[in-house]
Amino acid sequence: MSPESAAPERHEFGAYSSPPCFMHELGPDFVSLEAKPQLSESYLSEEAASDWSRVRQWRRETRAALIERRVSISAQDRAAWSERIERALRAALPGASGISIGLYWPFRGEFDSRPLLTPLRGTGVRLALPVVVEKGRPLQFRDWSPGDRMTRGVWNIPVPAEGAAVDPDVLIAPLVGFDQAGYRLGYGGGFYDRTIASKSTKPRVIGVGFDLARLATIYPQAHDVPMDIIVTEEGVWPDPDRS
């Protein structure tokens, strides 16, 4: 299918459930899962942590291992954990109508937020999916609802074929990994950090993923942007009941 060709979307999201999403985020430090790396529990020395090339190498290896760990989750655990994430995410979302939420198309075993978020359109919430307009530039979020005409974007990603550009009030960001300070390990391209930094009014950023992706640190750099909150099957961090 050419990028210009439209494709219908099934109501149950089946038409685009499996194709890759956010492959455009795979930066030069992405490692194929074919290497089947093992997640190392060791961390960098203080000297190594100050060397960006060493940090990139550590992130590269950790990223690949975390993705392999995620896609290996059993169907039973995935269903149970996803249900718990959905409950926690529902409670964490703002209740106001008229807000816009940027979501993502699930890739490589990521939590699928679409069944939770799509019914919110009936309450006046706008949903938007990301579109890559240019490498090295922020993502553009485009208005989306189930049944909209879709096309294949960069790396064959399903994107809305039309739709107004939206500046999300809330941004749901998928987590390859995350650390105790709320920093997100993504796919290596920096698209989310770049997008968030480009906004004059910062959206509320909610990182979503499975708790197996938790790390002590991702060795955050100046360009990394922390999440406002992180939601996993273990709950919401920081805990809203602790202040």
Side-chain angles (χ1 to χ4, degrees), residues 120-202:
L120 298 181
R121 291 188 66 90
T123 68
V125 171
R126 295 180 72 185
L127 299 180
L129 285 172
V131 179
V132 177
V133 293
E134 186 180 344
K135 184 178 180 180
R137 302 288 296 172
L139 297 166
Q140 179 190 90
F141 281 81
R142 191 173 291 174
D143 192 64
W144 171 79
S145 63
D148 284 354
R149 191 166 68 92
M150 304 292 284
T151 188
R152 302 289 187 177
V154 176
W155 288 90
N156 214 26
I157 305 160
V159 298
E162 301 108 3
V166 176
D167 280 331
D169 300 300
V170 178
L171 184 56
I172 309 297
L175 303 173
V176 174
F178 65 96
D179 68 17
Q180 305 300 317
Y183 286 96
R184 168 185 180 268
L185 180 65
Y187 291 99
F191 274 84
Y192 272 97
D193 293 329
R194 194 177 296 115
T195 301
I196 296 165
S198 72
K199 304 300 181 184
S200 57
T201 301
K202 181 180 178 292

Side-chain angles (χ1 to χ4, degrees), residues 3 40 59 65 73 78 86 90 95 99 103-104 111 114-115 121 152 162-163 167 187 201 219 224 234:
S40 172
R59 287 188 179 187
I73 298 171
R78 184 177 302 279
E86 186 170 308
R90 181 184 293 110
I99 65 170
L103 68 159
Y104 60 88
F111 168 75
R114 294 171 298 173
R121 291 188 66 90
R152 302 289 187 177
E162 301 108 3
D167 280 331
Y187 291 99
T201 301
Y219 300 102
D224 290 308
E234 296 300 322

Side-chain angles (χ1 to χ4, degrees), residues 4-173:
E4 292 77 18
S5 300
E9 180 183 333
R10 298 174 191 165
H11 180 69
E12 299 84 2
F13 311 115
Y16 290 119
S17 293
S18 297
C21 172
F22 290 100
M23 288 293 288
H24 55 281
E25 286 198 76
L26 304 185
D29 53 345
F30 178 77
V31 172
S32 169
L33 296 186
E34 293 178 359
K36 296 187 180 301
Q38 297 298 313
L39 181 61
S40 172
E41 299 300 331
S42 63
Y43 286 86
L44 300 175
S45 67
E46 184 175 349
E47 179 182 2
S50 64
D51 181 345
W52 174 229
S53 65
R54 298 281 294 278
V55 172
R56 283 184 63 179
Q57 174 67 23
W58 180 89
R59 287 188 179 187
R60 178 185 304 125
E61 295 170 356
T62 301
R63 174 184 297 114
L66 286 172
I67 294 174
E68 183 183 4
R69 177 183 286 185
R70 187 176 67 203
V71 299
S72 300
I73 298 171
S74 70
Q76 182 178 4
D77 283 342
R78 184 177 302 279
W81 295 351
S82 294
E83 183 178 352
R84 288 159 62 181
I85 291 175
E86 186 170 308
R87 288 199 302 268
L89 181 57
R90 181 184 293 110
L93 289 172
S97 63
I99 65 170
S100 57
I101 300 176
L103 68 159
Y104 60 88
W105 209 277
F107 162 60
R108 287 287 191 182
E110 290 173 335
F111 168 75
D112 188 354
S113 65
R114 294 171 298 173
L116 168 65
L117 297 178
T118 52
L120 298 181
R121 291 188 66 90
T123 68
V125 171
R126 295 180 72 185
L127 299 180
L129 285 172
V131 179
V132 177
V133 293
E134 186 180 344
K135 184 178 180 180
R137 302 288 296 172
L139 297 166
Q140 179 190 90
F141 281 81
R142 191 173 291 174
D143 192 64
W144 171 79
S145 63
D148 284 354
R149 191 166 68 92
M150 304 292 284
T151 188
R152 302 289 187 177
V154 176
W155 288 90
N156 214 26
I157 305 160
V159 298
E162 301 108 3
V166 176
D167 280 331
D169 300 300
V170 178
L171 184 56
I172 309 297

